Amino acid sequence: MEIKKRENYISWDEYFMGIAQLAAFRSKDPNSQVGACIVKDNKILSVGYNGFPYGCSDDDYPWSREGGFLETKYPFVVHSELNAILNYRGESLEDSKIYVTLFPCNECAKAIIQSGIKEVVYFNNKYEGTPAVEASKKMFNSAKIKLTKYETKEKELIIKI
């Protein structure tokens, strides 16, 4: 009797976006949990999520979105894309691909372009039409970075730990 391979396995895109989604669960941000996974030749190079820099306690810095600038999370939080880029300890990210759960802001777009990443696969673009997203798109277009909206037939993947 011939045994055939399982046919309902996930695709590479589903796998890497799943890793980005899983990374987002590490974020302690009460409002936005974002994850990123950088890949080349179907190998994971680095992973990141939004949070404070090393040595900056999650208990000592604000998570607020409103108030004076220094009373909010914005001057302190490192976005998932930048975290993934900075976490990489290899030689180069040239010609790699980044999977992100949220479309990159203009600051992360600069880091993505400068690091040599050539494709952005994003899950959600909830800030579509904002100046930050429009700036990102303009820079990605100029730098010839491929933008791919992640599409899947599956609505939910449940991982039991």
Side-chain angles (χ1 to χ4, degrees), residues 47-136:
V47 176
Y49 57 89
N50 58 315
F52 297 123
Y54 291 127
C56 298
S57 171
D58 300 320
D59 297 321
D60 295 339
Y61 285 83
W63 286 109
S64 179
R65 296 188 312 179
E66 297 177 7
F69 186 63
L70 294 176
E71 297 167 348
T72 69
K73 65 182 178 177
Y74 299 114
F76 308 110
V77 168
V78 180
H79 289 181
S80 67
E81 303 94 321
L82 186 56
N83 251 332
I85 290 167
L86 296 173
N87 285 340
Y88 183 60
R89 299 293 186 246
E91 292 180 20
S92 172
L93 293 173
E94 199 71 35
D95 298 322
S96 61
K97 181 188 298 192
I98 188 167
Y99 289 80
V100 293
T101 60
L102 183 63
F103 193 89
C105 72
N106 59 302
E107 292 300 320
C108 289
K110 293 179 217 177
I112 289 167
I113 293 164
Q114 289 299 96
S115 69
I117 294 170
K118 294 299 180 199
E119 183 175 357
V120 175
V121 181
Y122 64 96
F123 183 79
N124 186 340
N125 191 357
K126 71 178 180 179
Y127 298 112
E128 176 78 44
T130 63
V133 167
E134 293 307 308
S136 295

